[in-house]
């Protein structure tokens, strides 16, 4: 039995962010997805006060974004889990939460795209060093 190679991520350069998100989500990115991600982050991490976010494309076709922040966040998820998270893990959690939420209530094909992105990001999440914390926050 062979082990699959890890899924790699690629930072989207600043000048390609608009086209990359438009290709994946169309106009729903700035109008629906991005505001939901920021709102979830505001509720989850008391010490989050906005800032610049990094955008990543995954080798498997997934996308996520994470705050560009060096320190850890003290976080409390919507399911009651509490703990310390890197900005990267926080970004994965809020993107997974947003994708899940929007996959049930958004217009087609946006809802389907969110469902697909949820599964692609979850596949990447399984290789993350903070897997236990991420699972605690989303399950």
């Amino acid at each position: 039995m062979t082990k699959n190679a890890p899924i790699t991520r690629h930072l989207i350069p600043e000048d390609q962010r608009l086209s990359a998100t438009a290709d994946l989500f169309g106009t729903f990115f700035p109008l629906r997805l991005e505001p939901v991600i920021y709102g979830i982050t505001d509720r989850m991490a008391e010490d989050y006060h906005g800032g610049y976010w990094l955008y990543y494309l995954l080798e498997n076709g997934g996308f996520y974004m994470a705050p560009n922040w060096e320190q850890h966040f003290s976080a409390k998820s919507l399911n009651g889990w509490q703990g310390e998270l890197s900005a990267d893990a926080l970004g994965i959690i809020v993107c997974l939460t947003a994708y899940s939420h929007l996959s049930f209530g958004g217009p087609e094909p946006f809802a389907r795209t969110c469902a697909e992105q949820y599964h692609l990001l979850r596949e990447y999440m399984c290789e993350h060093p903070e897997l236990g914390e991420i699972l605690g926050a989303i399950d």
Side-chain angles (χ1 to χ4, degrees):
M1 180 176 230
T2 60
K3 184 178 180 330
N4 293 337
I7 299 166
T8 59
R9 69 178 186 179
H10 305 280
L11 180 65
I12 301 172
E14 177 102 23
D15 64 341
Q16 296 174 22
R17 287 162 59 123
L18 286 176
S19 62
T21 55
D23 289 346
L24 288 168
F25 305 104
T27 59
F28 290 106
F29 180 76
L31 299 176
R32 301 274 311 257
L33 181 57
E34 199 175 27
V36 169
I37 288 171
Y38 296 147
I40 293 168
T41 307
D42 279 335
R43 288 188 299 279
M44 227 182 129
E46 189 175 299
D47 45 349
Y48 169 76
H49 302 291
Y52 186 79
W53 286 61
L54 302 172
Y55 290 17
Y56 296 101
L57 283 178
L58 303 175
E59 192 174 49
N60 67 355
F63 168 86
Y64 79 100
M65 48 193 279
N68 187 17
W69 185 268
E70 294 297 319
Q71 293 88 351
H72 277 68
F73 287 94
S74 177
K76 181 177 182 180
S77 73
L78 304 176
N79 69 8
W81 175 90
Q82 294 183 57
E84 295 288 317
L85 298 168
S86 68
D88 193 63
L90 178 65
I92 290 170
I93 291 165
V94 298
C95 287
L96 285 168
T97 304
Y99 291 149
S100 177
H101 174 74
L102 293 169
S103 71
F104 291 102
E108 288 293 334
F110 177 63
R112 188 174 339 108
T113 299
C114 287
E116 291 166 359
Q117 285 296 316
Y118 176 89
H119 292 288
L120 294 170
L121 182 53
R122 190 167 168 92
E123 184 179 355
Y124 172 76
M125 167 210 78
C126 290
E127 302 168 359
H128 198 277
E130 294 172 85
L131 176 60
E133 290 85 352
I134 295 169
L135 285 172
I138 65 168
D139 287 339

